[in-house]
Every structure is written in C-alpha cells, then in structure tokens.
Amino acid sequence: MHAITIRQPGGPEVLEWAETPDPVPGPGEVLLDVAATAVNRADLLQRQGFYPPPKGASEILGLECSGTIAAVGDGVEGWQPGDEVCALLAGGGYAEKVAVPAPQLLPVPKGVSLVDAAGLPEVVCTVWSTVVQTAGLAEGDVLLVHGGAGGIGTCAIQIGKALGATVAVTAGSQERLDKCRELGADIAVNYKTEDFVEEVRKATDGHGADVVLDNMGASYLPRNIDVLAMDGRVVVIGFQGGVKGELNIGALLAKRGGVYSAGLRARPVTGKGGKADIIADVRDRLWPLVESGAVKPIIGRTLPMAQAADAHRALEASDVFGKLVLTA
C-alpha cells in the first residue's frame, strides 16, 4: 500500500507519499480500505517529533478515518467485510489501509457521506468525553469553547446547542465568528480584540461559563478561572498557549471550580475510561443527533492524501474552518 511517511522530524516538506507494508489485522481487529482521513493538530506535533504514538500503535500519522472493512481478525463480532465505517485511531490513518481494534469502529451515520464521515470520530469522541462525560454539560448551562472555528470547536458548538446549552466561542476574525454563529453559537468573541472574560460575563448577566473547553492551556488558565460560574469546570485538551501556568487556588476554591485535563489517543481500548466505552456512549447517545442533522461534520477543505504537506500548511496557517479531510 501507499502511506504518508515522515522522512525526518521537521516542517510539512518532510511528508512523503511512499510505499509501505500492508497492515495485518490481529485478534479483535479489522482491516479497513481507507476512503479518507482527517488532519488534526496532534498530527502537526507528531510530524515535528513532539508527539510520538503510543506503544504498539502505527507510526503513520492519522487519528481517524473512514473506509470499508476488507477483512476481520479472530474474535471480531458484529462487523463483516463490506461494512462502511468510520474509526477512532491511535495512528495509521494517512494510508490506503489501516488495522483498527473493532471496539473503535462506528457505522457511517445515515445521511453522511463516506468521505465526510472521516471528520467525525476524533472530534466527536473528544468533545463527548470531555464536555459531556467529564464536565457534565447539562441543559441550561453556558459552554465556552475556545477555538470555535476549528474541528473540535465546530463540533462542540453543535453538541452544546443540541443539549440545550448557551454556547460562547472565541475565534480570531469576524468571518470565522460569523460562521460559528451560523452553527448556533450565541456569544462570539474575537480573542484578538476583546476580553472573553468580560464579554461572556456581560452576555450572561454576570453568570459566566459553567463549562470551558480549552485548547490553549497555560496562557488561558487564569482567565478561564475568572470566567467560571460557581461550580464551573474547565477541561484542558491542548496547550497551544504553553504547558506551564499559574493557578490561583483561592480563586478556584471561591468558585468551587474544577480543572480537568483530558487526552484521547493514549487511552486503552478497553477498561475504565477506555476508548470502547467512549465509542459505545457516542453511538448510543450522540449518533442519533448526527443522523438527525443536529450535529454534522463541518468539512472546510478536502485534498488528496498525497498532498498531506499542503494540508499541514493550511492547518498551521489557521486557513481552514472546521475539518480538513484527505482522501485516499
């Protein structure tokens, strides 16, 4: 098969479309003929040598994909060759074929194309496991989403609205904020020219945010605490703004607040907090919202997989609204 390989850690130019050995499904795994994969910021870090895959995972980039089951390994039940699926991966999506643990599969939702489905697994599992399972977002809550125009952000807006929350977002241009409003965002803040703490408080009559989904990390930590409502929860899923920040414990205690951090890639397949449990809950509670159209993949751009370097450049330049998909 062909796959995107990394010649050496570095810029997008190190990505090459090259021939590699075909994967073989082990017990409990299926082999997919990949239709498409999606580009995530974690891929950019791995390309630079900063985010190696978990032990035993494929060295090939790609944390999600869609495709058709080509073969099933020993012990796999409920899936068969020919099924169209999308999958959460620990690696391997930037390729023509990938082996996937069967518990990490989801059926392609009704009304969603096979290619567009590639932009769902990583974002829906990230948002659902953090905003819903960890932070307990409920109807009537205020959800603040940083990076509302990205893949995670566009998904979080829709899930928040579908669950009856008021959704606030930050983004870096009026055009991107307008698109967030079209998806349902109630409060839109330009982080370059406005203070999100002040704007969210003003828009919520001083209440603040019950849940904050944060991709920035250290640089936003003090202000995320400031914007919290009483009993509010911050969930940190990225560190674009650094890894070391100062936490005012007094301010956090005064609000009875909580700060959580959550990753997805390194979780075990099964066991407490494993990917299988997240996938099962997503399929049971979120997939009906996807099939109804209340939550949909937002695909900002589609490129051939061999042009992965161009895709990485576009994502680094924040030149995509929603997800960027690579087709095999």
Side-chain angles (χ1 to χ4, degrees):
M1 71 171 186
H2 280 78
I4 292 292
T5 60
I6 302 173
R7 186 171 65 252
Q8 61 188 37
E13 69 280 357
V14 304
L15 300 178
E16 297 180 342
W17 185 239
E19 193 166 345
T20 62
D22 286 6
V24 177
E29 294 184 334
V30 305
L31 180 67
L32 298 185
D33 287 326
V34 175
T37 187
V39 181
N40 292 280
R41 289 200 174 271
D43 302 340
L44 311 186
L45 292 174
Q46 182 174 338
R47 186 203 73 221
Q48 296 171 71
F50 299 137
Y51 191 34
K55 185 177 180 180
S58 172
E59 295 285 340
I60 296 169
L61 297 171
L63 300 180
E64 58 191 333
C65 74
S66 61
T68 304
I69 295 179
V72 298
D74 292 342
V76 173
E77 298 179 355
W79 302 102
Q80 59 187 4
D83 287 345
E84 291 188 342
V85 298
C86 53
L88 182 67
L89 309 173
Y94 288 30
E96 293 177 320
K97 299 178 183 291
V98 66
V100 189
Q104 293 175 204
L105 297 177
L106 286 159
V108 172
K110 296 182 179 69
V112 177
S113 73
L114 181 60
V115 168
D116 285 358
L120 282 172
E122 175 72 13
V123 292
V124 297
C125 290
T126 296
V127 175
W128 194 259
S129 65
T130 55
V131 169
V132 178
Q133 293 182 327
T134 298
L137 184 75
E139 184 177 0
D141 280 351
V142 176
L143 168 65
L144 170 59
V145 180
H146 292 303
I152 295 289
T154 53
C155 179
I157 292 169
Q158 297 177 82
I159 289 177
K161 294 305 296 180
L163 297 180
T166 296
V167 178
V169 300
T170 62
S173 73
Q174 190 59 50
E175 178 185 7
R176 293 166 83 79
L177 291 171
D178 289 343
K179 289 182 178 180
C180 289
R181 285 192 179 278
E182 290 173 6
L183 288 178
D186 304 284
I187 304 162
V189 183
N190 187 326
Y191 67 81
K192 294 180 179 179
T193 60
E194 299 174 299
D195 179 359
F196 70 78
V197 177
E198 179 182 341
E199 296 300 323
V200 171
R201 282 179 175 168
K202 182 168 62 176
T204 59
D205 296 324
H207 177 80
D210 298 286
V211 177
V212 178
L213 183 61
D214 176 52
N215 62 347
M216 293 301 293
S219 64
Y220 272 23
L221 183 57
R223 286 191 291 160
N224 282 337
I225 304 304
D226 287 345
V227 81
L228 277 186
M230 291 297 295
D231 299 304
R233 293 82 70 197
V234 177
V235 185
V236 181
I237 59 169
F239 44 85
Q240 294 180 48
V243 297
K244 294 183 179 180
E246 184 172 302
L247 174 63
N248 185 333
I249 299 295
L252 189 64
L253 283 171
K255 294 187 174 183
R256 299 192 299 268
V259 178
Y260 303 85
S261 60
L264 187 59
R265 186 183 194 185
R267 290 176 186 250
V269 177
T270 59
K272 184 178 180 180
K275 295 173 185 175
D277 287 346
I278 296 171
I279 289 285
D281 202 32
V282 163
R283 184 171 182 176
D284 182 46
R285 294 201 286 160
L286 178 57
W287 238 224
L289 297 175
V290 177
E291 295 190 334
S292 74
V295 177
K296 56 189 178 183
I298 305 301
I299 309 301
R301 188 177 301 180
T302 302
L303 291 170
M305 196 178 293
Q307 296 179 21
D310 292 334
H312 278 221
R313 292 185 186 99
L315 195 61
E316 286 177 334
S318 297
D319 193 25
V320 182
F321 182 84
K323 296 285 287 189
L324 199 162
V325 167
L326 300 174
T327 57

